Amino acid sequence: DPKGNKTVDQGSFDINLVDAEMGKVVTRFPPEPSGYLHIGHAKAALLNKYFAEQYKGKLIVRFDDTNPSKEKEEYEESIKEDLKLIGIAPENYSHTSDYFEQIYQLALQLIKDGNAYVDDTTQEQMRAERMDGIASKCRNLSVEENLRRFEEMKNATEFGLTACLRAKISVDNPNKALRDPVIYRCNLIPHARTGTAWKMYPLYDLACPIVDALEGVTHALRTDEYHDRNPQYQWFLDALKLRQVHIWEYSRLNFVYTLLSKRKLTWFVDQGRVQGWDDPRFPTIRGIRRRGLTMDALMTYILMQGASTSFVALEWDKLWAVNRKQVDPIAPRHVAIESKDRVKVTVKGAEAYHFKEVPRHKKNEALGNKKTAYGPTMWLDQADAKELAQDEEVTLMDWGNAFVRKIEKSADGVVTAIEAELHLQGDVKKTKRKLTWLADGAELVSVLLKDYDYLITKKKIEEEDELKDLLTPVTEFTTEAIADGNVADLNKGDIIQLERKGFYIVDQKAEAGKPAVLILIPDGKSA
Ligand code: ATP
Ligand code: MG
Ligand code: MG
């Protein structure tokens, strides 16, 4: 394809850029500082990084800060931090605002060449005219008049505030993106970096091709939602006689039951429906990390996707399965028993309460040992206790076999107490049930186990959907539990396995009088 667009099969690592010379490729990731980065941005950033590295070239991170109404300094800081987490830490960050003067000069050039005009048609009329392919009344104003009007926009005069600059491309092209797009607009809100120096700002459609060319970008990666705007991008390069830039298209990342739009995520934050931008239910980098996704798993997954051009929304399972593969060999093993209806077991033949060193992970010696408590009373989960039969031989994990000798139940079938008898010479390979248990003692730690559901009830949100009609009523589930004493030493961010329950990430460390909070990491098996 002459524009250098290239489509690649899903899963391909073997992606190439058109006209890419070793050592000369320059790519760029241009986030708008209007929210926190989400997993879609991670895909964009990592693909750009991938190509820059593959061709021993350079990656530019450019803050696309052309709209003071949406942008905040706070977001810029968070974006830098999050990029660092996925291995992107450039020495310099550029800003579209660094180029405001040059963009302005080029806009004047467009006007002088008869390629742009200042339009003060009302928004509704402009929309209708664009729809119907009708020329604006301002389309054929003289260059002098346009320069005069543009100066009024620059000064944000009463007239200027009602006007916008439009590129004179086409009135009725079937591609509506070419119907004289708006390229400058007034905004009196002070800009985070340029303050009140400017009262009008270029729109992304104008600023992007200009700054890409000025910064020496050789390959501009754009998501397929911009497809119709590619000819427009090219038009600006041509009209302004700028250096050519190859556009390389890739598919926008979408997940089921997930919003990947900063505007919509902001709504959830503002409504207080989540704890913040790092909420574990959020698809932000901070959110999925807090939910237990490792940054290695994220990077592996994104590169597995390649440039995939499928439009379908992806299931989350595959990502979490990649994560589980990375986490399983290195997550220390621990035990927790749910507090509700937990069952006290008297163990005959057990020695007095004592500790023993046991490996943290049976297949990974490097993780060292933990202290496990043993004693004549222990706790079982109600769910396990319910399954047991009189005189059944079971295996107590990290201990040995035992016979279930006596089961006491309440009228409604809840097990209230059990008596067991150790049988350590029994063969652990012959038992059907391997039970997790905790010796009763002072070292036990209170924990809260958290699990989450999708925030929305619809698999794929359409533009016309009202978010407030699609909210999952309850999305956070908390289970009280007790855990082995080693859990007291865990810190925020540590990832463990609670045996037979799943992988968890520590969200809050255990503190005097306060339970530790552990978040269940999806394992990619369910759903
Ligand atoms: P949002 O709708 O979330 O605000 P955006 O595209 O407006 O997204 P930008 O900050 O402008 O946000 O995006 C920076 C870069 O990330 C752009 O190149 C954009 O195309 C890309 N990007 C944004 N969302 C996705 C996504 N879901 N999948 C892949 N790339 C994305
Ligand atoms: Mg954008
Ligand atoms: Mg968007």
Side-chain angles (χ1 to χ4, degrees), residues 99-118:
Y99 300 90
F100 279 167
E101 178 60 31
Q102 277 153 291
I103 299 170
Y104 169 66
Q105 293 300 331
L106 289 166
L108 288 176
Q109 190 61 49
L110 284 176
I111 296 174
K112 287 177 192 158
D113 293 343
N115 281 326
Y117 60 97
V118 176

Side-chain angles (χ1 to χ4, degrees), residues 349-370:
E351 291 172 31
Y353 189 72
H354 65 285
F355 289 94
K356 245 169 57 185
E357 298 269 318
V358 170
R360 285 205 170 88
H361 191 305
K362 289 197 182 57
K363 293 180 189 151
N364 186 351
E365 269 181 32
L367 294 177
N369 288 339
K370 62 181 178 185

Side-chain angles (χ1 to χ4, degrees), residues 30-32 34 41 64 70 204 225-226 229 252 262:
E32 182 181 8
S34 58
H41 296 121
D64 178 40
K70 281 164 60 190
Y204 181 78
E225 62 177 336
Y226 286 99
R229 279 147 84 182
R252 193 181 162 84
K262 281 180 285 196

Side-chain angles (χ1 to χ4, degrees), residues 194-259:
T194 60
T196 51
W198 295 92
K199 298 177 185 67
M200 65 173 185
Y201 296 90
L203 272 77
Y204 181 78
D205 286 339
L206 175 69
C208 185
I210 291 177
V211 181
D212 281 349
L214 293 178
E215 288 192 323
V217 170
T218 59
H219 295 78
L221 276 55
R222 310 231 300 177
T223 52
D224 40 21
E225 62 177 336
Y226 286 99
H227 186 78
D228 286 349
R229 279 147 84 182
N230 289 348
Q232 186 203 78
Y233 180 104
Q234 188 62 44
W235 185 91
F236 287 114
L237 293 183
D238 294 342
L240 291 165
K241 301 186 181 58
L242 295 168
R243 239 191 62 262
Q244 285 306 308
V245 181
H246 283 290
I247 291 180
W248 189 86
E249 231 175 69
Y250 67 97
S251 77
R252 193 181 162 84
L253 193 62
N254 283 309
F255 283 96
V256 294
Y257 299 108
T258 302
L259 303 164

